[in-house]
């Protein structure tokens, strides 16, 4: 496109008030001297076509076989590109349907295909990442992002830190200079806009500083404090767990893998003051009845911990309904949370939700395991992440090992990562269990809660051991948040 046409496009964007000057209050409360709202271009097909043609030119040479617009403003732009170039398009759902397939990504694609992201405007890059994450979670690759306008507030650097290359049709500076040259704004307005951009950088040497204009969603990789993440959690039980962790200053869960209910109650009473969660395997015990349930719940109330039955459901929806609410154990009656493998597909979440949601329970999805040679990795882990992301009403988080290493990071900050395979020194047992230290699990791997069994219950003084693990895990959490 000749330079004169590009300048004419900038002028027409100002004419249709897609770019405005004045005093505008942003979502963050900041007052900005410039406001860009590209939604209006759908009313101007000629401009829409020019915009999409110009953006397409900018990605010449990039390699991809499918494109996806960031909802909503960029959807018509992506559609226009797809119609012109015949490159197929995908759509990312912003709201997840409560019925039907619950797919986050609509359209036909193959795992391993590379997808170009199309966005109207980039400020911090957070909105772009909200589309990159679910695409990667279903096995697509993303390497390039094209935007109409780069506000030059750190989005490019942020995307680069995720290995993404940002292409923009215009920078904000170019827009300001073009409008100034054509007498559409005065030098003071241009200077005020430039100053605003300079003062409101969102990304500084690899750290997310702030996210002033673009999105209220916080970055997934930055370690936000539990207090902030609690407000972002959708599942009632996730909110409750955040609350318990903050109140007790504990992100320690104890795996009470003992043989008798007497031992279970004894361990629960000893470690209770130090833990946020007591994890059970109810089928380890030689007996189970209503009075045990009553005593266990009393201890949970006394020490304010939550009960996690590590049932690892893994059957079709219809079967898990019965296994969760019925049988000898009636797990849904006394446990606050349970977990499930995603092997059977999303029906397992729907089945468990039909029992647990109305009772305020939460579900943890098994995204990774601690045992040597396990098969929960790669695309399986990513598909599990996508399922958690799209079912946050009932899914409260993950059983995971290395969420920081997942493509796109650990996912939504409202979801909680719990990690088994933890002892004070790394190592393993004779049957494939592998251990990492609390510092490594929380600080390096990006988990939130450590799950410790034998390191505590086999100690001569389980209460003292629990106190040690509690302190180690809480410090690792505080350090991780501070470092962000
Ligand atoms: P340990 O004694 O700290 O090794 O106990 C770990 C607990 O976590 C135990 O109850 C296991 O069943 C559970 N676990 C695990 O170790 N690894 C996994 O990947 C999953 C659960 Br999922």
């Amino acid at each position: 496109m000749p330079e004169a046409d590009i300048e004419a496009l900038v002028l027409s964007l100002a004419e249709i008030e897609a770019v405005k000057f004045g005093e505008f209050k942003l979502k963050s409360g900041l007052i900005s001297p410039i406001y860009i709202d590209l939604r209006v271009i759908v009313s101007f097909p000629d401009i829409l076509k020019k915009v999409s043609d110009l953006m397409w030119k900018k990605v010449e040479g990039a390699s991809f076989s499918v494109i996806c617009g960031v909802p909503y403003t960029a959807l018509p732009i992506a559609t226009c590109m797809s119609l012109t170039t015949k490159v197929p398009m995908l759509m990312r759902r912003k709201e997840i349907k409560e019925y039907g397939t619950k797919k986050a990504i609509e359209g036909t694609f193959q795992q391993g295909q590379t997808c170009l992201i199309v966005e109207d405007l980039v400020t911090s890059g957070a909105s772009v990442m909200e589309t990159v994450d679910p695409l990667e979670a279903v096995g697509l690759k993303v390497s390039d992002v094209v935007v109409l306008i780069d506000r030059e507030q750190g989005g490019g650097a942020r995307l680069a830190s995720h290995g993404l290359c940002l292409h923009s049709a215009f920078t904000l500076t170019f827009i300001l200079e073009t409008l100034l040259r054509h007498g559409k704004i005065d030098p003071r307005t241009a200077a005020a806009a430039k100053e605003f951009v300079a003062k409101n950088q969102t990304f500084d040497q690899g750290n997310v500083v702030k996210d002033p204009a673009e999105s209220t969603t916080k970055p997934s990789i930055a370690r936000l404090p539990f207090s902030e993440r609690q407000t972002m959690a959708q599942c009632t039980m996730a909110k409750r767990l955040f609350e318990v962790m903050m109140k007790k200053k504990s992100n320690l869960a104890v795996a009470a893998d003992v043989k008798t209910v007497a031992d279970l109650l004894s361990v629960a009473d000893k470690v209770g003051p130090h833990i946020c969660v007591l994890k059970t395997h109810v089928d380890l015990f030689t007996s189970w009845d209503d009075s045990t349930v009553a005593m266990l719940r009393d201890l949970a109330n006394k020490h304010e911990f939550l009960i996690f039955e590590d049932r690892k459901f893994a059957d079709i929806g219809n079967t898990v309904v019965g296994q969760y609410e019925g049988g000898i154990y009636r797990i849904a009656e006394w446990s606050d949370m349970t977990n499930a493998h995603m092997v059977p597909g999303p029906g397992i979440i729907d089945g468990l939700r039909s029992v647990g949601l109305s009772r305020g329970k939460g579900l943890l999805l098994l995204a990774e395991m601690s045992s040597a040679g396990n098969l929960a990795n790669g695309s399986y882990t990513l598909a599990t992440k996508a399922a958690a992301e799209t079912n946050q009403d009932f899914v409260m988080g993950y059983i995971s090992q290395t969420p920081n290493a997942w493509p796109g990071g650990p996912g939504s900050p409202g979801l909680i990562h719990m990690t088994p395979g933890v002892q004070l020194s790394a190592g393993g047992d004779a049957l494939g269990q592998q251990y990492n230290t609390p510092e490594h699990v929380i600080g390096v791997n990006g988990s939130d809660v450590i799950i410790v069994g034998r390191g505590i219950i086999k100690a001569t003084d389980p209460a003292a051991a629990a106190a040690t693990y509690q302190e180690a895990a809480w410090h690792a959490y505080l350090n991780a948040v501070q470092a962000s």
Side-chain angles (χ1 to χ4, degrees):
M1 201 182 273
E3 191 65 23
D5 289 358
I6 295 176
E7 294 214 346
L9 187 53
V10 172
L11 297 179
S12 42
L13 288 174
E15 248 158 54
I16 64 171
E17 300 203 321
V19 180
K20 287 192 271 196
F21 298 87
E23 280 197 356
F24 305 95
K25 194 164 181 187
L26 301 176
K27 254 190 248 172
S28 57
L30 286 176
I31 303 292
S32 169
I34 180 166
Y35 189 72
I36 302 173
D37 180 1
L38 293 158
R39 277 171 291 201
V40 69
I41 59 175
V42 290
S43 305
F44 303 90
D46 286 348
I47 296 180
L48 175 59
K49 178 81 173 87
K50 282 182 188 149
V51 158
S52 71
D53 287 349
L54 178 60
M55 288 168 71
W56 190 257
K57 276 241 152 263
K58 296 285 167 183
V59 287
E60 254 173 17
S63 149
F64 52 86
S65 54
V66 64
I67 66 177
C68 180
V70 176
Y72 291 102
T73 313
L75 291 183
I77 303 175
T79 308
C80 192
M81 283 178 179
S82 174
L83 289 172
T84 309
T85 63
K86 307 286 182 243
V87 174
M89 181 175 134
L90 297 171
M91 283 204 304
R92 181 204 137 213
R93 278 188 182 281
K94 215 170 151 99
E95 304 83 12
I96 301 304
K97 284 196 294 181
E98 282 307 316
Y99 53 89
T101 56
K102 292 206 179 68
K103 279 194 209 155
I105 305 298
E106 300 286 359
T108 303
F109 59 89
Q110 269 143 28
Q111 296 228 341
Q113 261 187 299
T114 302
C115 182
L116 170 74
I117 306 281
V118 180
E119 173 64 307
D120 58 328
L121 173 75
V122 69
T123 305
S124 70
S127 295
V128 169
M129 287 314 300
E130 279 171 22
T131 292
V132 173
D133 287 347
L135 286 170
E136 291 186 334
V138 295
L140 286 154
K141 291 185 192 145
V142 182
S143 53
D144 293 86
V145 177
V146 63
V147 300
L148 180 63
I149 302 176
D150 177 3
R151 284 187 65 123
E152 302 171 290
Q153 283 175 249
R158 165 101 171 264
L159 296 177
S161 77
H162 289 275
L164 302 170
C165 178
L166 177 67
H167 311 262
S168 65
F170 308 128
T171 58
L172 189 55
T173 307
F174 176 79
I175 291 180
L176 293 171
E177 281 167 4
T178 305
L179 295 177
L180 190 59
R181 213 168 31 249
H182 288 266
K184 301 292 176 192
I185 53 173
D186 57 39
R188 275 225 328 251
T189 307
K194 280 186 186 169
E195 191 187 333
F196 178 83
V197 166
K199 280 196 178 149
N200 289 283
Q201 287 298 311
T202 62
F203 199 84
D204 178 26
Q205 294 176 2
N207 293 316
V208 175
V209 185
K210 60 186 158 189
D211 192 3
E214 193 168 29
S215 168
T216 49
T217 307
K218 291 294 187 280
S220 56
I221 204 95
R223 302 298 291 268
L224 300 172
F226 291 152
S227 54
E228 223 171 302
R229 290 175 55 189
Q230 189 196 29
T231 65
M232 297 158 130
Q234 292 168 39
C235 171
T236 314
M237 193 52 71
K239 282 187 184 294
R240 176 84 185 113
L241 178 51
F242 278 125
E243 185 184 317
V244 171
M245 289 197 284
M246 289 185 287
K247 182 159 180 206
K248 295 181 76 174
K249 293 194 184 352
S250 172
N251 50 343
L252 166 67
V254 161
D257 296 338
V258 289
K259 290 201 177 89
T260 66
V261 294
D263 286 347
L264 168 71
L265 297 171
S266 160
V267 165
D269 205 16
K270 283 181 193 151
V271 302
H274 304 288
I275 63 175
C276 58
V277 167
L278 185 80
K279 187 175 84 64
T280 55
H281 280 301
V282 69
D283 51 3
L284 288 177
F285 307 127
T286 45
S287 64
W288 189 253
D289 55 28
D290 288 350
S291 72
T292 305
V293 166
M295 285 186 278
L296 184 61
R297 289 279 4 155
D298 280 350
L299 287 171
N301 290 338
K302 174 177 157 191
H303 296 300
E304 248 191 289
F305 59 73
L306 301 171
I307 302 174
F308 165 19
E309 167 54 23
D310 189 359
R311 171 62 177 77
K312 298 189 183 69
F313 290 102
D315 214 321
I316 61 167
N318 184 60
T319 302
V320 297
V321 168
Q323 291 174 318
Y324 188 23
E325 72 181 350
I328 301 173
Y329 298 121
R330 302 199 304 269
I331 292 165
E333 273 177 27
W334 52 268
S335 71
D336 296 302
M337 65 196 82
T338 188
N339 54 355
H341 289 291
M342 277 308 290
V343 171
I348 192 167
I349 302 178
D350 295 339
L352 295 170
R353 176 197 278 111
S354 72
V355 176
L357 184 65
S358 60
R359 304 182 199 210
K361 312 288 181 180
L363 180 67
L364 295 152
L365 293 185
L366 284 136
E368 291 173 304
M369 292 191 71
S370 62
S371 43
N374 78 81
L375 306 177
N377 50 42
S379 57
Y380 181 82
T381 300
L382 287 185
T384 304
K385 182 185 180 194
E389 291 288 328
T390 52
N391 288 283
Q392 292 188 47
D393 58 336
F394 183 53
V395 174
M396 60 183 289
Y398 303 95
I399 302 297
S400 59
Q401 292 289 320
T402 56
N404 269 351
W406 292 359
S412 292
L415 294 170
I416 299 167
H417 288 267
M418 300 180 66
T419 299
V422 182
Q423 287 207 349
L424 291 177
S425 50
D429 70 9
L431 296 174
Q433 175 68 301
Q434 303 175 114
Y435 292 115
N436 280 308
T437 63
E439 292 75 18
H440 192 83
V441 166
I442 306 284
V444 178
N445 292 349
S447 186
D448 301 309
V449 178
I450 58 166
I451 301 176
V452 183
R454 285 163 283 178
I456 290 175
I457 58 170
K458 298 279 186 207
T460 35
D461 184 349
T468 305
Y469 278 94
Q470 176 190 8
E471 198 178 308
W474 191 252
H475 265 96
Y477 154 69
L478 292 179
N479 286 341
V481 170
Q482 249 170 23
S484 281

